[in-house]
């Protein structure tokens, strides 16, 4: 069984600001720091730091070689990453004094993924292998179609939720990993207590993992449900919290952990991530997460 994460790789330009800028407003940032990020890269790093073997597939730009090297240094297999003849993707991130963030993306090389490239990548994978996807790359619908035809198990984090998902066959998704905003978009309800049930009504064979901020996380499938609260940590930067949760949850799942244990592992990893600055640099090592969980006993 192999795991591939077909996802984005960005340069994250993080501006520390007194408050998230409003329309028509001009503010002065406290600082600017550039990190390696992108939901795909963050999730691959989280998977690797959690102890999972993961292949990352995607396109970096002509200026993106450091991103590929960073993934390699973090234990990710980068043999399926290629270079597109465009500028690399970027994220412009505002982080205010309370740790909340606001992000806009320049997709660059991430939106240069073609169905032909996707097919060439997925020919190395087969029935029973897992694929993790986000919505920061192009050809997502084609990737889902090819993965399903090959009998792969599809894990989708539908973020950002936009019109590109309209072309995707969400009935092919085995596991949805989403937050409250994405949960509302997929389920059609704004009631967090109804979101997972509403998704299962549409996609009854799926597994739903719904993160609800300070309310913790909810898991639900056709026959089982579970939940976990948050671990209290000082909030410095929430940028990669969701990606950290995703990587650690999947790692726990692939280890054969019960859902409850995987939720606990991922919740602690995410809590540690928000207590640190940056995207990928904030993702904790497995030993740190295990030690923190041991202190909770």
């Amino acid at each position: 069984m192999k795991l591939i994460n077909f996802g984005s790789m960005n340069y994250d330009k993080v501006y520390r600001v007194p408050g998230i800028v409003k329309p028509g407003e001009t503010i002065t940032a406290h600082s600017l720091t550039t990190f390696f990020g992108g939901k795909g890269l963050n999730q691959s790093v989280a998977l690797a730091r959690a102890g999972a073997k993961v292949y990352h597939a995607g396109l970096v730009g002509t200026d993106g070689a450091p991103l590929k090297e960073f993934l390699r240094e973090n234990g990710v297999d980068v043999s399926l990453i290629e270079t597109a003849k465009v500028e690399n993707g970027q994220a412009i991130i505002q982080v205010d004094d309370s740790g909340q963030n606001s992000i806009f993306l320049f997709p660059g090389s991430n939106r240069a993924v073609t169905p032909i490239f996707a097919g060439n990548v997925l020919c190395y994978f087969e029935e029973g292998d897992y694929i993790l996807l986000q919505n920061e790359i192009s050809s997502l619908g084609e990737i889902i179609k090819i993965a399903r035809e090959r009998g792969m198990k599809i894990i989708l984090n539908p973020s950002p939720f936009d019109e590109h998902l309209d072309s995707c066959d969400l009935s092919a998704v085995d596991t949805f990993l989403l937050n409250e905003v994405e949960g509302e978009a997929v389920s059609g309800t704004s009631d967090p207590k109804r979101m997972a049930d509403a998704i299962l009504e549409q996609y009854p064979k799926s597994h739903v993992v719904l993160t609800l901020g300070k309310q913790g996380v909810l898991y639900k499938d056709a026959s089982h449900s579970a939940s976990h609260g948050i671990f209290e940590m000082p909030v410095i930067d929430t940028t990669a919290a969701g990606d950290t949760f995703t990587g650690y949850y999947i790692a726990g799942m692939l280890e054969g952990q019960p859902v409850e244990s995987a939720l606990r592992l991922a919740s602690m990893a995410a809590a540690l991530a928000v207590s640190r600055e940056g995207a990928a640099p904030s993702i904790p090592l497995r030993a740190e997460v295990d030690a923190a969980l041991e202190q909770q006993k």
Side-chain angles (χ1 to χ4, degrees):
M1 184 274 294
K2 297 195 292 286
L3 168 66
I4 176 176
N5 181 9
F6 209 137
S8 58
M9 294 164 281
N10 287 335
Y11 289 112
D12 287 351
K13 297 183 180 297
V14 180
Y15 295 82
R16 302 292 309 199
V17 293
I20 303 300
V21 67
K22 300 178 179 65
E25 182 183 25
T26 299
I27 61 175
T28 299
H30 301 315
S31 64
L32 165 63
T33 310
T34 300
F35 298 101
F36 297 153
K39 294 193 75 64
L41 181 145
N42 294 340
Q43 291 174 7
S44 282
V45 170
L47 281 158
R49 290 185 182 176
K53 178 174 174 55
V54 56
Y55 295 82
H56 190 101
L59 294 173
V60 292
T62 52
D63 55 338
L67 296 166
K68 183 175 179 179
E69 183 57 28
F70 179 76
L71 284 166
R72 188 200 317 275
E73 291 171 352
N74 277 275
V76 177
D77 188 309
V78 297
S79 59
L80 300 174
I81 296 175
E82 295 187 8
T83 302
K85 295 180 180 179
V86 295
E87 190 172 356
N88 205 92
Q90 297 183 23
I92 306 302
I93 303 171
Q94 300 177 69
V95 181
D96 69 17
D97 290 341
S98 71
Q100 293 302 307
N101 66 63
S102 177
I103 304 170
F104 74 85
L105 299 173
F106 166 70
S109 52
N110 296 309
R111 292 287 183 192
V113 174
T114 65
I116 292 174
F117 174 61
N120 291 340
V121 164
L122 294 182
C123 73
Y124 296 105
F125 298 85
E126 59 190 10
E127 185 174 358
D129 289 341
Y130 285 80
I131 182 168
L132 170 62
L133 298 166
Q134 319 81 31
N135 190 31
E136 289 184 350
I137 59 172
S138 53
S139 300
L140 185 62
E142 289 85 353
I143 294 170
I144 290 174
K145 181 176 182 292
I146 296 168
R148 176 52 70 198
E149 288 172 350
R150 299 191 70 83
M152 300 177 71
K153 295 183 181 298
I154 300 168
I155 306 169
L156 176 65
N157 173 209
S159 176
F161 197 96
D162 60 24
E163 70 280 359
H164 292 103
L165 286 162
D166 293 342
S167 63
C168 298
D169 179 11
L170 297 187
S171 69
V173 174
D174 293 279
T175 299
F176 289 94
L177 279 156
L178 23 60
N179 64 21
E180 194 169 343
V181 173
E182 297 137 18
E184 179 175 354
V186 175
S187 69
T189 177
S190 59
D191 182 359
K193 297 178 182 179
R194 279 279 305 140
M195 285 178 187
D197 287 329
I199 293 172
L200 287 171
E201 287 168 7
Q202 297 177 69
Y203 312 111
K205 295 181 180 179
S206 68
H207 306 257
V208 179
V209 182
L210 180 65
T211 57
L212 297 168
K214 292 183 178 181
Q215 297 177 57
V217 58
L218 172 69
Y219 169 90
K220 197 151 195 176
D221 63 32
S223 61
H224 183 64
S225 63
S227 62
H228 197 283
I230 65 168
F231 292 102
E232 294 288 349
M233 293 281 179
V235 176
I236 303 300
D237 184 351
T238 62
T239 303
D243 298 332
T244 300
F245 182 95
T246 293
Y248 267 84
Y249 175 79
I250 294 171
M253 180 185 73
L254 296 181
E255 291 170 7
Q257 292 190 22
V259 168
E260 291 79 2
S261 297
L263 293 178
R264 185 170 185 266
L265 176 73
S267 296
M268 178 56 79
L272 292 173
V274 302
S275 69
R276 304 169 180 179
E277 189 175 25
S282 73
I283 299 169
L285 298 171
R286 180 63 177 267
E288 296 177 291
V289 179
D290 288 342
L293 286 172
E294 189 65 27
Q295 292 178 0
Q296 295 291 319
K297 292 182 178 179

